Amino acid sequence: MSCAVPAGGSALPRSAAAEGSQQSHEEDDRKVRRREKNRVAAQRSRKKQTQKADKLHEEYESLEQENTSLKREIGKLTDEMKHLSEVLKDHEKICPLLHCTMNFVTVPRPDALTSCLPR
C-alpha cells in the first residue's frame, strides 16, 4: 500500500494542515498588529521627545532674555551707585555736620540737617 501525497503538498490530513495554516496566519496577524502598535508607540514617543525639546528651547530663550535684562539693570544700578558715591563724596567735603567741633551729639538737629541739604 502506497501513501500518496495530495496535490496541496502536505502529507498531513487535511484538517491538521488547515489548523497549521490557520495558526500561522493568526501568528502573522499578531506580528503585524504588534509591529503596527510598536510603530505608533515609537511615533508618539518621538513626538513627545520633540515637544519636550521645544519646551526646553523656549525656556532657554526666555531665561536668556531675562539674563540680558538683569545685566542691563545691574549696569544702570552700578552707574547710579557711582554717581551717588561721587555726590556723597562732594557733599562730605562741605557738610557742616561732619566738620562740627561739637561732633559728640548722637542725634542731629533737624535745623542742622536742612542746612546741609541742597536748595
Side-chain angles (χ1 to χ4, degrees), residues 4-35:
V5 176
S10 176
L12 296 173
R14 194 154 185 77
S15 64
E19 279 183 32
S21 174
Q22 187 176 357
Q23 282 180 341
S24 175
H25 183 65
E26 287 175 4
E27 287 176 13
D28 288 346
D29 285 348
R30 260 185 272 158
K31 284 181 183 178
V32 168
R33 284 193 304 270
R34 190 171 62 234
R35 282 187 189 134

Side-chain angles (χ1 to χ4, degrees), residues 99-118:
H99 299 296
C100 180
T101 56
M102 305 269 298
N103 216 0
F104 58 87
V105 178
T106 56
V107 179
R109 296 176 311 212
D111 58 329
L113 283 179
T114 56
S115 67
C116 289
L117 298 176

Side-chain angles (χ1 to χ4, degrees), residues 44-85:
R44 201 171 34 241
S45 175
R46 285 189 293 270
K47 183 178 180 182
K48 189 175 179 181
Q49 189 176 14
T50 301
Q51 288 173 339
K52 186 176 180 182
D54 290 345
K55 185 178 177 183
L56 282 173
H57 184 72
E58 287 175 12
E59 186 178 351
Y60 166 81
E61 292 291 329
S62 174
L63 290 172
E64 280 291 322
Q65 287 178 354
E66 184 180 0
N67 191 26
T68 301
S69 175
L70 290 171
K71 284 180 179 179
R72 205 174 305 122
E73 186 176 353
I74 287 171
K76 287 178 183 178
L77 291 171
T78 301
D79 290 345
E80 183 180 2
M81 183 181 74
K82 287 177 184 175
H83 171 72
L84 292 174
S85 291

